[in-house]
Amino acid sequence: MAHLHIENLQVGYGNKLILKNINLAVEQGEMIALLGPSGCGKTTLLNALCGFIPVSQGDIFVANRAISKRPAEKRNITMVFQSYALWPHMTVAQNIGYGLKVQKMKHADITTRVTELLKIVKLEGLENDRVTALSGGQRQRVALARALAIRPDVLVLDEPLSNLDAKVRLSVRHEIKALQKQLGFTSLIVTHDQEEALVMADRIAVLNHGTIEQIGTPEDIYHRPKTPFVADFMGADNHLTWPIQNAAITLNINPTITQAEIYFRSENALVSTRPPATNVDVNPSNMGLLIEGPVEQSVFFGNNYQISVRCGTHTIQANHDQHLPEHTPVLLRVPTDALHIFATEAGNSAPQHSLSPLSNQ
Amino acid sequence: MRRTTSHFLWLIAPAALMVGIFFLYPLCFSLYSAVTLDSGELTLAHLNKAFELYSKDIIFTILIVLICVAILAVLSITIAGIITLSPFRTLSKTLGFLYRLPLFIPFIVTAQMMRTFLAKNGLMNNTFIASGLLTPMETVSFLGWSGIIITFVWKQLAFSTLLIAGAMAALDDSQIRAARNLGASRWRILLQIILPQIAPTIGVAMVLSTVTIMSVLSVPLMIGTGTPTMMTADMAFRINSYGDYHVANALGLVSYSICAVLAWFYLRQNLKEKGAQS
């Protein structure tokens, strides 16, 4: 059995079911990201894991011990909170050492452990400072050190970076990941930021409406989404419903598929302004989608321009290195492997993907 | 600019007038009356007389206040702690509803209610007798100092719990959760995480309760047994029986001074804490 094993978990408030049939296995030393939009139940899952809310059905095992009936204080699972949740009347050292004091550890041992943790989170010399005098990044490091001090079986992080500004977020993100590799703690991190999940996690579980839609490595989730929701949430910003009427569009896929939801990322749509006839290198094995249409809008995005192209009733987004005036006719080409196609005919809802490599990226 | 200033003056004038007429003037008059003769000369004779005749009652008042405040602090912290930390939501909700009730009952009604409840042949003893716990010979009257304390605590508990439970509810819930998943029991969380953070509110609740208890006349008159009694009863007696406003005001001065000492302690502590935070 995995280090943390969640089996058929159901959690609800009153009559409302928030989490349905959650199954998750986290190996020792692994970091799993729970990714999903607001209200999908990811924080509820952490709260149920920590014992802050009761479980209606199912079980949670940590190191083969069932813990779902235990109170929060007896679970040895610690949380790093979005709001840091530091105690303002205590110093940095008192905050970090609190869990050890509760465990009745000797004063000298607490001091040693706190010093060790301060070094790990790079806050040496601040032990006697009030936490209210620290910056956001420093506070989050204190919260991390406090949660790690008691050597928890599982560490859970509830959107730990969302209160930090962009620059600090990148450095703290890197530090948490480096610490996790160095200390090897088992952890679950909740985030709604897909980039954060991709960078930090060993595996990602995408949640939607209280269920896990897909669980897999970041590469799996990114390149091979199993549901339209996962594709959409992982940044496939273009969505087409096949077939499309009144549009110059060619789709080279399995001919048995007559109805489908198609997703792809704007960066995978290659824009060319040359007429289609002279548009060479159309490799039939790799060109999944060809769309002709006029430019509706061209917006500067820093390192490129985002082009909006009309395609029947749809608007397709694509990236291009130059500004294109409105109404310019363009050809968009999307490689087969960059398409996420979900057949919608009855009895055939499995995603269809090309097996060829991404040659055009 | 001048026009704006005059607008502001008009805005605060009604409130300032009310404070002046109904608070500042009686206060100054009372202080003046406590230290002057009818002829207007300064004297300490009224204060001396007040201490001579009523020093026992002054000590009695201080003791009653201290005991009430101590019991109030313990009870209101306990109730607020249960409301905030109890895993039994029905218990928290019931307590949350019940503790507020005395807020809406005036002191004089409370005093009358307690008189009929605590007397030797009152509701409490009759209930004990009817349930076979006591015989009529064993019953004791609680009218007297213990009755005064019970009445004040029962009445003020709602107010102090309201303030303290409010302060506890205003704390970020994740602070309590953080302590729980580090292994802290609820008792430890209350003492080490919650109380240090809401100490200023407890201070406010206790100082305001003290001032209220010191100012109530109906409870010592209706529950007390005569001697010793509280200073408010003495003041009423000096005025009603002798028309002696000077000694009554001297007792008032002592009462102000006790409250002023408390206010000074409280303000000093508050400023210290604010200074430490900034």
Side-chain angles (χ1 to χ4, degrees):
Chain A
M1 193 185 266
H3 182 65
L4 168 66
H5 188 83
I6 300 174
E7 211 173 80
N8 300 325
L9 192 76
Q10 286 202 8
V11 177
Y13 296 110
N15 293 329
K16 197 179 174 198
L17 212 53
I18 306 292
L19 293 175
K20 290 158 242 168
N21 207 23
I22 299 284
N23 287 290
L24 185 65
V26 187
E27 297 301 332
Q28 176 90 45
E30 194 179 21
M31 182 179 249
I32 290 215
L34 301 174
L35 181 64
S38 299
C40 72
K42 50 194 192 303
T43 299
T44 304
L45 179 54
L46 289 199
N47 284 335
L49 201 58
C50 287
F52 299 142
I53 50 171
V55 166
S56 352
Q57 220 177 297
D59 228 329
I60 304 167
F61 298 89
V62 173
N64 292 329
R65 285 172 288 124
I67 60 155
S68 45
K69 298 281 184 290
R70 288 191 192 184
E73 53 271 29
K74 298 231 159 58
R75 293 200 178 190
N76 203 27
I77 296 177
T78 54
M79 189 187 270
V80 175
F81 294 84
Q82 185 177 1
S83 61
Y84 321 128
L86 299 176
W87 304 303
H89 59 292
M90 295 187 194
T91 62
V92 170
Q94 284 168 334
N95 265 281
I96 298 175
Y98 187 78
L100 305 171
K101 200 171 130 190
V102 170
Q103 290 180 344
K104 298 193 171 68
M105 194 186 254
K106 281 183 196 156
H107 185 70
D109 295 340
I110 294 178
T111 312
T112 314
R113 177 83 177 132
V114 169
T115 313
E116 181 193 340
L117 281 159
L118 282 168
K119 199 174 165 193
I120 289 175
V121 297
K122 299 183 185 126
L123 289 175
E124 294 124 306
L126 296 180
E127 51 267 48
N128 295 322
D129 283 24
R130 282 188 163 264
V131 288
T132 45
L134 303 181
S135 69
Q138 288 174 323
R139 287 183 199 196
Q140 197 52 287
R141 286 193 206 120
V142 174
L144 186 64
R146 179 180 68 179
L148 288 172
I150 63 164
R151 296 191 167 88
D153 288 328
V154 180
L155 177 79
V156 298
L157 303 108
D158 184 11
E159 308 223 13
L161 309 176
S162 58
N163 277 3
L164 303 174
D165 63 54
K167 209 171 170 186
V168 180
R169 191 182 303 169
L170 288 181
S171 74
V172 176
R173 180 166 93 183
H174 170 76
E175 280 168 28
I176 293 177
K177 184 65 196 163
L179 269 183
Q180 194 254 337
K181 279 193 172 158
Q182 182 194 338
L183 305 175
F185 50 81
T186 309
S187 57
L188 278 168
I189 179 167
V190 154
T191 178
H192 59 260
D193 181 341
Q194 48 130 320
E195 189 183 299
E196 211 168 279
L198 290 172
V199 171
M200 295 180 78
D202 299 311
R203 281 190 300 150
I204 297 173
V206 183
L207 268 85
N208 185 28
H209 295 310
T211 54
I212 295 181
E213 289 249 344
Q214 186 176 353
I215 180 158
T217 61
E219 290 85 352
D220 255 345
I221 300 277
Y222 191 83
H223 291 308
R224 289 173 285 279
K226 283 185 180 160
T227 65
F229 173 80
V230 176
D232 185 33
F233 199 76
M234 294 309 293
D237 45 357
N238 286 310
H239 171 215
L240 299 171
T241 304
W242 183 261
I244 298 167
Q245 308 300 326
N246 306 323
I249 184 163
T250 316
L251 182 64
N252 297 317
I253 54 166
N254 184 343
T256 58
I257 299 175
T258 53
Q259 285 178 43
E261 299 296 329
I262 302 167
Y263 290 83
F264 59 93
R265 294 185 175 81
S266 49
E267 68 256 30
N268 290 333
L270 309 168
V271 181
S272 63
T273 50
R274 286 175 292 175
T278 57
N279 194 18
V280 281
D281 77 332
V282 176
N283 177 356
S285 69
N286 195 32
M287 275 308 120
L289 187 65
L290 296 162
I291 299 167
E292 283 177 70
V295 170
E296 275 195 337
Q297 200 180 40
S298 171
V299 184
F300 182 55
F301 246 57
N303 53 351
N304 55 27
Y305 288 83
Q306 187 163 62
I307 313 283
S308 306
V309 179
R310 168 64 43 197
C311 169
T313 53
H314 295 83
T315 306
I316 306 295
Q317 308 294 339
N319 294 345
H320 192 50
D321 52 3
Q322 283 169 9
H323 171 70
L324 294 176
E326 270 181 50
H327 310 301
T328 309
V330 290
L331 173 71
L332 299 180
R333 295 171 296 154
V334 188
T336 311
D337 3 32
L339 292 172
H340 308 304
I341 302 164
F342 305 94
T344 51
E345 294 104 318
N348 187 5
S349 59
Q352 307 288 318
H353 293 285
S354 162
L355 296 173
S356 55
L358 294 170
S359 56
N360 286 23
Q361 287 188 67
Chain B
M1 185 70 192
R2 184 174 288 173
R3 205 174 151 187
T4 323
T5 315
S6 74
H7 277 172
F8 278 131
L9 283 177
W10 278 112
L11 208 63
I12 61 160
L17 208 63
M18 297 290 269
V19 172
I21 294 173
F22 295 112
F23 178 70
L24 285 179
Y25 170 71
L27 174 71
C28 294
F29 181 78
S30 163
L31 292 177
Y32 173 77
S33 163
V35 292
T36 52
L37 296 170
D38 285 336
S39 56
E41 281 170 67
L42 283 176
T43 179
L44 290 175
H46 309 312
L47 276 168
N48 284 340
K49 197 170 176 185
F51 278 111
E52 218 170 87
L53 294 174
Y54 301 113
S55 54
K56 266 190 187 167
D57 290 349
I58 293 172
I59 293 168
F60 179 76
T61 305
I62 293 173
L63 283 177
I64 291 281
V65 166
L66 288 179
I67 295 170
C68 285
V69 165
I71 298 173
L72 270 175
V74 172
L75 288 182
S76 46
I77 289 168
T78 309
I79 294 173
I82 292 172
I83 291 169
T84 313
L85 294 171
S86 169
F88 308 109
R89 298 188 73 185
T90 324
L91 175 72
S92 307
K93 275 187 183 168
T94 315
L95 260 181
F97 170 71
L98 282 180
Y99 88 81
R100 286 184 169 91
L101 290 181
L103 267 183
F104 306 100
I105 304 172
F107 261 108
I108 193 156
V109 177
T110 310
Q112 177 57 29
M113 210 174 73
M114 282 297 176
R115 214 178 142 76
T116 53
F117 183 71
L118 298 171
K120 192 167 164 60
N121 57 350
L123 182 65
M124 184 180 71
N125 282 329
N126 284 344
T127 312
F128 284 141
I129 293 164
S131 59
L133 288 169
L134 291 176
T135 62
M137 295 300 286
E138 290 168 328
T139 55
V140 180
S141 166
F142 278 89
L143 298 181
W145 65 272
S146 51
I148 294 177
I149 291 171
I150 292 171
T151 311
F152 277 137
V153 168
W154 188 83
K155 175 74 178 91
Q156 278 305 105
L157 191 60
F159 172 75
S160 56
T161 309
L162 191 71
L163 285 189
I164 293 170
M168 285 189 189
L171 280 185
D172 180 6
D173 196 37
S174 54
Q175 285 193 15
I176 293 166
R177 290 181 165 189
R180 280 188 71 198
N181 67 21
L182 288 170
S185 63
R186 288 183 164 84
W187 182 239
R188 194 187 261 272
I189 291 170
L190 180 66
L191 291 181
Q192 295 179 340
I193 305 294
I194 298 177
L195 286 190
Q197 294 191 63
I198 61 153
T201 310
I202 299 174
V204 172
M206 293 310 121
V207 168
L208 294 180
S209 293
T210 303
V211 175
T212 308
I213 293 170
M214 299 270 303
S215 65
V216 172
L217 172 64
S218 52
V219 174
L221 276 189
M222 293 167 76
I223 310 274
T225 47
T227 48
T229 187
M230 293 185 73
M231 286 158 68
T232 45
D234 294 331
M235 288 179 222
F237 176 72
R238 288 309 305 176
I239 293 165
N240 294 336
S241 302
Y242 298 106
D244 182 3
Y245 283 90
H246 291 297
V247 173
N249 280 321
L251 282 169
L253 181 58
V254 175
S255 189
Y256 292 142
S257 309
I258 295 169
C259 294
V261 169
L262 266 179
W264 178 71
F265 264 116
Y266 165 69
L267 285 175
R268 198 181 68 154
Q269 193 60 31
N270 223 9
L271 285 177
K272 256 190 199 171
E273 276 170 17
K274 277 193 182 149
Q277 274 171 18
S278 59

